[in-house]
Amino acid sequence: ISVTPIALVASAVAQDGADLTPIAQALDRAAKHVGVDFVGGFSCYVHKGITRADDALLSSIPNALAVTDRVCASVSVASRQAGINVDAVARMGRVIKELAANTAADGGLGCAKLVTFSNMPEDNPFMAGAVHGLGEAELVINVGVSGPGTVAAALKQLGPNADLLEVSDTIKKTAFKITRIGDMVGREAAARLGVSRGIVDLSLAPTP
């Protein structure tokens, strides 16, 4: 599940020095109550500048992700239109270092629940960067399909003597199949829940 970026939600109450950790804890309790593994959206967009609410969220991330189990955070620090907010990049370096220290007993696990973005998509379904961005419907089903393992398995079936055209064709066909499956899942979930159907996002990033 992902929610509207919390920096926007909290903008009315976030004063200088505000701690938004209680909001993260509320999200964590909600995730556990409904039985989902992760909830995304403890997030802010700072690629052009930092508001008081953004500042409060950035300051809260190291503690908020350390004291919660299922909350994920994301921060947009750059975009093609605005360029790079170098102050935000420097700030995120300190945030990540503090979060790693706060979760050192768990191998710095808090950092696995945080994404620093350039060109942050507003309908990203992938954790830890999932967020219910501006312009979205009240409720929407977005589907993320992770394909590297499936593609790797398909390529292994080709054998070591396959030429480049066979490799390309296999990747193309496999990507099409898993995208169609993601679309079917999205359609069915949206129909059962009676909510809007959003995007299908295929990831073929070579993640381990």
Side-chain angles (χ1 to χ4, degrees):
I1 294 177
S2 58
V3 299
T4 302
I6 290 301
L8 298 176
V9 176
S11 60
V13 296
Q15 302 300 318
D16 293 339
D19 182 10
L20 303 187
T21 300
I23 296 177
Q25 291 172 314
L27 290 172
D28 201 49
R29 290 193 299 271
K32 291 173 180 177
H33 178 72
V34 299
V36 298
D37 294 325
F38 295 107
V39 56
F42 196 74
S43 308
C44 61
Y45 296 85
V46 294
H47 45 262
K48 290 187 74 176
I50 299 176
T51 68
R52 284 187 297 180
D54 296 331
D55 180 72
L57 188 129
L58 290 169
S59 296
S60 302
I61 286 175
N63 184 56
L65 296 193
V67 301
T68 57
D69 298 316
R70 306 188 185 192
V71 173
C72 294
S74 54
V75 179
S76 171
V77 298
S79 73
R80 276 187 287 272
Q81 292 80 14
I84 302 171
N85 184 340
V86 181
D87 291 332
V89 172
R91 178 80 174 271
M92 282 307 298
R94 295 189 291 272
V95 167
I96 292 167
K97 185 177 179 181
E98 186 178 349
L99 176 57
N102 287 355
T103 57
D106 294 321
L109 181 62
C111 294
K113 300 187 294 176
L114 172 64
V115 177
T116 305
F117 271 112
S118 174
N119 299 308
M120 181 174 173
E122 295 187 351
D123 54 3
N124 180 21
F126 289 102
M127 295 297 175
V131 66
H132 188 78
L134 302 177
E136 293 292 303
E138 180 75 13
L139 298 169
V140 62
I141 298 290
N142 292 322
V143 178
V145 180
S146 184
T150 307
V151 171
L155 291 175
K156 283 179 182 177
Q157 293 178 1
L158 286 181
N161 297 319
D163 62 35
L164 190 58
L165 288 176
E166 289 177 294
V167 170
S168 174
D169 193 51
T170 298
I171 292 173
K172 183 170 60 177
K173 287 179 178 178
T174 304
F176 176 77
K177 287 178 182 178
I178 59 180
T179 302
R180 288 289 291 167
I181 291 171
D183 184 55
M184 289 168 57
V185 170
R187 286 176 185 271
E188 184 63 23
R192 290 189 185 193
L193 296 172
V195 300
S196 301
R197 183 171 142 269
I199 66 158
V200 176
D201 191 346
L202 174 64
S203 170
L204 292 178
T207 48

